[in-house]
Amino acid sequence: AQTVTQSQPEMSVQEAETVTLSCTYDTSESNYYLFWYKQPPSRQMILVIRQEAYKQQNATENRFSVNFQKAAKSFSLKISDSQLGDTAMYFCAFMKQGTGNQFYFGTGTSLTVIP
Amino acid sequence: DSGVTQTPKHLITATGQRVTLRCSPRSGDLSVYWYQQSLDQGLQFLIQYYNGEERAKGNILERFSAQQFPDLHSELNLSSLELGDSALYFCASSLGTSGIEQYFGPGTRLTVT
């Protein structure tokens, strides 16, 4: 079975600073995707960024980037120039490919951006 | 607004009862996914339907069932409800089967008393 671990239940960052959220996962699969989802106080789940396991290049989306270390099974999210709207719960997720799509989520990291 | 709608927004019911949650996917999306978010279990994938057929199954209890109708809307049926079923239930949709780009609805908050 796959597991996703987020070891930082809560984090805070000053506005305009950079913060990194950690995620590790355990799998024996070779074909999979990794995701970061954001859940603001509105509770809406929003996809932040995704990474295909077969790609060595780290994914980036504007101020969001990942550090994907496949051998170490690590997938951290870096948020640059933090904004107040980044305050949210962030979930790391794993999806294996193949017969059916199974999703596994971490327990989340609550990020607060301080003005 | 993701384009995915869920009804009702809130539902309060008693133990032992049965409820139905409804989801309408974004226009053009053929896949629907159901998730449960609870304090105890965190976020869990329940089930995926694609164009009316079950595609993938996660941690869905036998007391729970789902279906996707010809118009592509989906319903999640929860029966013999227990206190532990209290949770936020999300529906998401995607165009294809891969699940790599899902759009989430606002969720249905279920409270079992």
Side-chain angles (χ1 to χ4, degrees), chain A residues 42-110:
Chain A
S42 67
R43 309 295 280 176
Q44 180 84 40
M45 293 289 288
I46 302 164
L47 177 64
V48 175
I49 199 166
R50 69 169 174 263
Q51 173 80 42
E52 295 90 331
Y54 63 86
K55 287 189 177 179
Q56 292 192 350
Q57 186 174 5
N58 290 324
T60 61
E61 285 288 341
N62 300 314
R63 298 182 295 107
F64 299 89
S65 61
V66 298
N67 183 6
F68 174 48
Q69 302 288 330
K70 191 171 184 179
K73 295 180 182 175
S74 169
F75 182 62
S76 60
L77 174 68
K78 185 171 84 171
I79 306 175
S80 304
D81 185 26
S82 296
Q83 301 175 359
L84 297 179
D86 295 334
T87 292
M89 184 73 84
Y90 287 81
F91 293 95
C92 179
F94 169 99
M95 183 192 81
K96 74 174 187 178
Q97 292 181 276
T99 306
N101 298 316
Q102 294 289 336
F103 291 84
Y104 303 87
F105 290 87
T107 51
T109 295
S110 178

Side-chain angles (χ1 to χ4, degrees), chain B residues 72-84:
Chain B
L72 300 177
H73 90 271
S74 179
E75 293 180 357
L76 179 66
N77 300 296
L78 316 175
S79 61
S80 302
L81 285 167
E82 302 174 0
L83 295 177

Side-chain angles (χ1 to χ4, degrees), chain B residues 5 13 16 27 31 41 45-46 56-57 59 61 63 67 77 79-80 82 92 96 102-103 105 112:
Chain B
T5 60
T13 189
S27 177
S31 273
Q41 302 291 330
F45 165 67
L46 296 179
K57 187 177 272 193
N59 295 326
L61 299 173
R63 300 184 285 109
Q67 55 183 327
N77 300 296
S79 61
S80 302
E82 302 174 0
Q102 298 180 43
Y103 296 85
V112 182

Side-chain angles (χ1 to χ4, degrees), chain B residues 11-17 19 78 80-87 89 109-113:
Chain B
L11 195 52
I12 301 174
T13 189
T15 54
Q17 295 298 306
V19 297
L78 316 175
S80 302
L81 285 167
E82 302 174 0
L83 295 177
D85 297 328
S86 295
Y89 290 85
R109 168 74 69 186
L110 173 66
T111 302
V112 182
T113 62

